[in-house]
Amino acid sequence: KQEVTQIPAALSVPEGENLVLNCSFTDSAIYNLQWFRQDPGKGLTSLLLIQSSQREQTSGRLNASLDKSSGRSTLYIAASQPGDSATYLCALRGAGGTSYGKLTFGQGTILTVHP
Amino acid sequence: DAGVTQSPTHLIKTRGQQVTLRCSPKSGHDTVSWYQQALGQGPQFIFQYYEEEERQRGNFPDRFSGHQFPNYSSELNVNALLLGDSALYLCASSLISGTYEQYFGPGTRLTVT
Protein backbone atom coordinates (compact mmCIF):
# COMPACT_ATOMS: atom_id res chain seq x y z
CA LYS A 1 0.00 0.00 0.00
CA GLN A 2 1.38 3.37 -1.07
CA GLU A 3 2.00 5.81 1.79
CA VAL A 4 2.88 9.45 1.23
CA THR A 5 4.48 11.67 3.87
CA GLN A 6 5.05 15.40 3.70
CA ILE A 7 7.58 17.21 5.84
CA PRO A 8 7.35 19.70 7.44
CA ALA A 9 3.68 19.78 8.44
CA ALA A 10 3.87 23.57 8.71
CA LEU A 11 6.38 26.20 7.69
CA SER A 12 6.55 29.93 8.37
CA VAL A 13 9.06 32.08 6.48
CA PRO A 14 9.67 35.77 5.83
CA GLU A 15 8.90 37.15 2.40
CA GLY A 16 11.71 36.70 -0.13
CA GLU A 17 13.09 33.44 1.21
CA ASN A 18 13.67 30.41 -0.99
CA LEU A 19 12.12 27.27 0.49
CA VAL A 20 11.82 23.53 -0.06
CA LEU A 21 8.84 21.30 0.68
CA ASN A 22 9.43 17.57 0.92
CA CYS A 23 7.33 14.58 -0.10
CA SER A 24 8.34 10.96 0.43
CA PHE A 25 6.60 7.78 -0.73
CA THR A 26 6.98 4.09 0.00
CA ASP A 27 6.28 2.47 -3.40
CA SER A 28 8.43 3.60 -6.33
CA ALA A 29 6.05 2.07 -8.91
CA ILE A 30 4.41 5.37 -9.77
CA TYR A 31 2.97 6.70 -13.04
CA ASN A 32 3.32 10.37 -12.16
CA LEU A 33 3.37 12.82 -9.28
CA GLN A 34 1.43 16.07 -8.95
CA TRP A 35 1.95 19.02 -6.63
CA PHE A 36 -1.18 20.96 -5.70
CA ARG A 37 -1.95 24.16 -3.87
CA GLN A 38 -5.06 24.50 -1.68
CA ASP A 39 -6.34 27.73 -0.18
CA PRO A 40 -8.45 27.41 3.01
CA GLY A 41 -11.81 25.75 2.32
CA LYS A 42 -11.18 25.69 -1.43
CA GLY A 43 -10.45 23.11 -4.11
CA LEU A 44 -7.04 22.04 -5.36
CA THR A 45 -5.03 23.89 -7.99
CA SER A 46 -2.52 21.80 -9.92
CA LEU A 47 0.94 23.36 -9.86
CA LEU A 48 3.23 20.83 -11.51
CA LEU A 49 3.01 17.29 -12.85
CA ILE A 50 6.09 15.09 -13.19
CA GLN A 51 5.93 11.88 -15.20
CA SER A 52 7.80 8.88 -13.78
CA SER A 53 10.40 9.17 -16.56
CA GLN A 54 11.16 12.82 -15.72
CA ARG A 55 13.49 14.23 -13.09
CA GLU A 56 12.05 17.71 -12.71
CA GLN A 57 9.52 20.26 -13.92
CA THR A 58 9.58 24.03 -13.67
CA SER A 59 6.88 26.67 -13.77
CA GLY A 60 7.80 30.25 -12.96
CA ARG A 61 9.19 30.39 -9.41
CA LEU A 62 8.34 26.74 -8.80
CA ASN A 63 10.55 23.73 -9.44
CA ALA A 64 9.61 20.16 -8.61
CA SER A 65 12.00 17.23 -8.65
CA LEU A 66 11.42 13.49 -8.54
CA ASP A 67 13.77 10.74 -7.39
CA LYS A 68 11.94 7.42 -7.64
CA SER A 69 14.88 5.37 -6.38
CA SER A 70 14.88 7.18 -3.05
CA GLY A 71 11.10 7.68 -2.97
CA ARG A 72 11.30 11.46 -2.76
CA SER A 73 10.02 14.59 -4.42
CA THR A 74 10.73 18.20 -3.54
CA LEU A 75 8.93 21.42 -4.39
CA TYR A 76 11.24 24.43 -4.48
CA ILE A 77 9.68 27.89 -4.25
CA ALA A 78 11.96 30.80 -5.10
CA ALA A 79 11.60 34.30 -3.70
CA SER A 80 8.49 33.50 -1.66
CA GLN A 81 5.63 36.01 -1.47
CA PRO A 82 2.70 36.41 0.98
CA GLY A 83 0.40 35.24 -1.82
CA ASP A 84 2.16 31.87 -1.73
CA SER A 85 0.60 31.19 1.68
CA ALA A 86 -1.52 28.04 1.31
CA THR A 87 -1.44 24.28 1.91
CA TYR A 88 0.74 22.37 -0.54
CA LEU A 89 -0.13 18.75 -1.28
CA CYS A 90 1.76 16.11 -3.22
CA ALA A 91 -0.12 13.21 -4.79
CA LEU A 92 0.97 10.08 -6.63
CA ARG A 93 -0.70 8.01 -9.31
CA GLY A 94 0.27 4.34 -9.16
CA ALA A 95 1.77 2.58 -12.15
CA GLY A 96 -0.72 -0.25 -12.36
CA GLY A 97 -2.79 -2.89 -10.65
CA THR A 98 -5.14 -1.67 -7.95
CA SER A 99 -3.31 1.65 -7.67
CA TYR A 100 -4.04 2.64 -11.23
CA GLY A 101 -6.25 5.66 -11.72
CA LYS A 102 -6.41 7.08 -8.21
CA LEU A 103 -4.23 9.71 -6.58
CA THR A 104 -2.74 9.00 -3.16
CA PHE A 105 -2.17 12.22 -1.22
CA GLY A 106 0.12 13.31 1.55
CA GLN A 107 -1.21 15.27 4.53
CA GLY A 108 0.07 18.55 3.14
CA THR A 109 2.42 21.29 4.28
CA ILE A 110 0.84 24.52 5.54
CA LEU A 111 2.99 27.40 4.29
CA THR A 112 2.80 30.91 5.73
CA VAL A 113 4.86 33.68 4.15
CA HIS A 114 4.83 36.84 6.28
CA PRO A 115 5.69 40.31 4.99
CA ASP B 1 -13.25 26.94 -21.23
CA ALA B 2 -15.16 25.99 -18.08
CA GLY B 3 -13.24 24.13 -15.43
CA VAL B 4 -14.65 21.53 -13.08
CA THR B 5 -17.83 22.68 -11.40
CA GLN B 6 -19.55 21.24 -8.34
CA SER B 7 -22.89 21.82 -6.67
CA PRO B 8 -23.99 22.66 -4.10
CA THR B 9 -21.22 24.68 -2.44
CA HIS B 10 -22.36 23.93 1.09
CA LEU B 11 -24.83 21.45 2.51
CA ILE B 12 -26.10 20.71 6.00
CA LYS B 13 -27.78 17.36 6.65
CA THR B 14 -28.97 15.41 9.65
CA ARG B 15 -27.56 12.06 10.67
CA GLY B 16 -29.36 9.24 8.86
CA GLN B 17 -30.34 11.33 5.85
CA GLN B 18 -29.19 10.86 2.27
CA VAL B 19 -27.30 13.38 0.12
CA THR B 20 -26.47 13.81 -3.57
CA LEU B 21 -23.54 15.87 -4.77
CA ARG B 22 -23.01 16.84 -8.41
CA CYS B 23 -19.99 17.41 -10.63
CA SER B 24 -19.45 18.60 -14.19
CA PRO B 25 -16.02 17.78 -15.61
CA LYS B 26 -13.69 20.12 -17.44
CA SER B 27 -14.59 20.43 -21.10
CA GLY B 28 -13.18 17.52 -23.09
CA HIS B 29 -12.57 15.28 -20.08
CA ASP B 30 -14.12 11.82 -19.87
CA THR B 31 -13.15 10.55 -16.41
CA VAL B 32 -14.43 11.72 -13.03
CA SER B 33 -12.98 10.88 -9.63
CA TRP B 34 -14.37 11.70 -6.19
CA TYR B 35 -12.35 12.41 -3.05
CA GLN B 36 -13.24 13.04 0.59
CA GLN B 37 -11.12 15.51 2.54
CA ALA B 38 -11.56 15.69 6.31
CA LEU B 39 -10.37 18.82 8.10
CA GLY B 40 -6.57 18.97 8.27
CA GLN B 41 -6.12 15.82 6.16
CA GLY B 42 -5.18 15.06 2.59
CA PRO B 43 -7.96 13.97 0.21
CA GLN B 44 -8.93 10.28 0.25
CA PHE B 45 -9.97 8.54 -2.98
CA ILE B 46 -13.60 7.36 -3.03
CA PHE B 47 -14.08 6.09 -6.60
CA GLN B 48 -13.54 6.82 -10.28
CA TYR B 49 -15.99 6.69 -13.19
CA TYR B 50 -15.28 6.22 -16.87
CA GLU B 51 -17.74 5.30 -19.62
CA GLU B 52 -20.53 5.41 -17.04
CA GLU B 53 -18.99 2.61 -14.98
CA GLU B 54 -17.18 2.58 -11.67
CA ARG B 55 -13.62 1.65 -12.61
CA GLN B 56 -11.87 1.81 -9.28
CA ARG B 57 -12.92 2.19 -5.67
CA GLY B 58 -11.16 3.26 -2.51
CA ASN B 59 -11.76 2.01 1.00
CA PHE B 60 -15.27 3.42 1.47
CA PRO B 61 -18.44 1.55 2.50
CA ASP B 62 -21.32 0.79 0.16
CA ARG B 63 -23.20 3.77 1.59
CA PHE B 64 -21.13 5.74 -0.90
CA SER B 65 -22.31 5.25 -4.46
CA GLY B 66 -22.05 7.16 -7.68
CA HIS B 67 -23.14 7.56 -11.23
CA GLN B 68 -21.76 8.98 -14.44
CA PHE B 69 -24.03 10.26 -17.16
CA PRO B 70 -23.55 10.16 -20.96
CA ASN B 71 -22.39 13.79 -20.89
CA TYR B 72 -19.62 12.71 -18.44
CA SER B 73 -21.09 14.58 -15.47
CA SER B 74 -21.28 12.64 -12.25
CA GLU B 75 -23.13 12.31 -8.96
CA LEU B 76 -21.96 11.11 -5.58
CA ASN B 77 -24.64 9.69 -3.27
CA VAL B 78 -24.17 9.02 0.41
CA ASN B 79 -26.86 7.13 2.34
CA ALA B 80 -27.46 6.87 6.09
CA LEU B 81 -25.22 9.82 6.86
CA LEU B 82 -22.92 9.64 9.87
CA LEU B 83 -21.32 12.52 11.75
CA GLY B 84 -17.97 11.29 10.40
CA ASP B 85 -19.11 11.95 6.83
CA SER B 86 -18.71 15.67 7.45
CA ALA B 87 -15.96 16.74 5.06
CA LEU B 88 -15.09 18.60 1.89
CA TYR B 89 -16.01 16.46 -1.11
CA LEU B 90 -13.86 17.07 -4.15
CA CYS B 91 -14.49 16.08 -7.73
CA ALA B 92 -11.64 15.76 -10.22
CA SER B 93 -11.74 15.21 -13.94
CA SER B 94 -9.14 13.91 -16.38
CA LEU B 95 -8.68 12.21 -19.71
CA ILE B 96 -8.38 8.42 -19.69
CA SER B 97 -5.45 8.79 -22.10
CA GLY B 98 -2.37 10.99 -21.97
CA THR B 99 -0.84 12.28 -18.75
CA TYR B 100 -3.98 11.65 -16.65
CA GLU B 101 -3.44 15.03 -15.02
CA GLN B 102 -6.36 15.63 -12.68
CA TYR B 103 -8.18 18.95 -12.41
CA PHE B 104 -10.19 19.60 -9.26
CA GLY B 105 -13.40 21.47 -8.63
CA PRO B 106 -14.03 23.87 -5.73
CA GLY B 107 -15.59 21.16 -3.61
CA THR B 108 -18.83 20.71 -1.65
CA ARG B 109 -18.65 21.26 2.11
CA LEU B 110 -20.96 18.71 3.78
CA THR B 111 -21.83 19.13 7.44
CA VAL B 112 -23.74 16.33 9.18
CA THR B 113 -25.41 17.26 12.48
Side-chain angles (χ1 to χ4, degrees), chain A residues 37-45 83-88, chain B residues 37 88:
Chain A
R37 169 190 172 131
Q38 185 175 32
D39 293 298
K42 305 296 184 182
L44 277 61
T45 300
D84 294 331
S85 299
T87 297
Y88 290 80
Chain B
Q37 186 178 25
L88 181 67

Side-chain angles (χ1 to χ4, degrees), chain B residues 57-89:
Chain B
R57 189 180 184 91
N59 188 25
F60 280 80
D62 292 344
R63 297 187 298 109
F64 289 77
S65 63
H67 190 78
Q68 185 179 34
F69 299 93
N71 67 353
Y72 307 116
S73 66
S74 176
E75 288 182 349
L76 164 65
N77 301 292
V78 186
N79 294 322
L81 284 167
L82 304 173
L83 296 178
D85 294 332
S86 295
L88 181 67
Y89 288 84

Side-chain angles (χ1 to χ4, degrees), chain A residues 6 33-38 44-48 75 87-92 103 105, chain B residues 101-104:
Chain A
Q6 291 188 244
L33 181 150
Q34 274 185 269
W35 281 92
F36 293 92
R37 169 190 172 131
Q38 185 175 32
L44 277 61
T45 300
S46 181
L47 299 173
L48 290 164
L75 178 66
T87 297
Y88 290 80
L89 295 150
C90 71
L92 310 175
L103 288 177
F105 283 84
Chain B
E101 183 171 4
Q102 293 202 358
Y103 293 80
F104 281 77

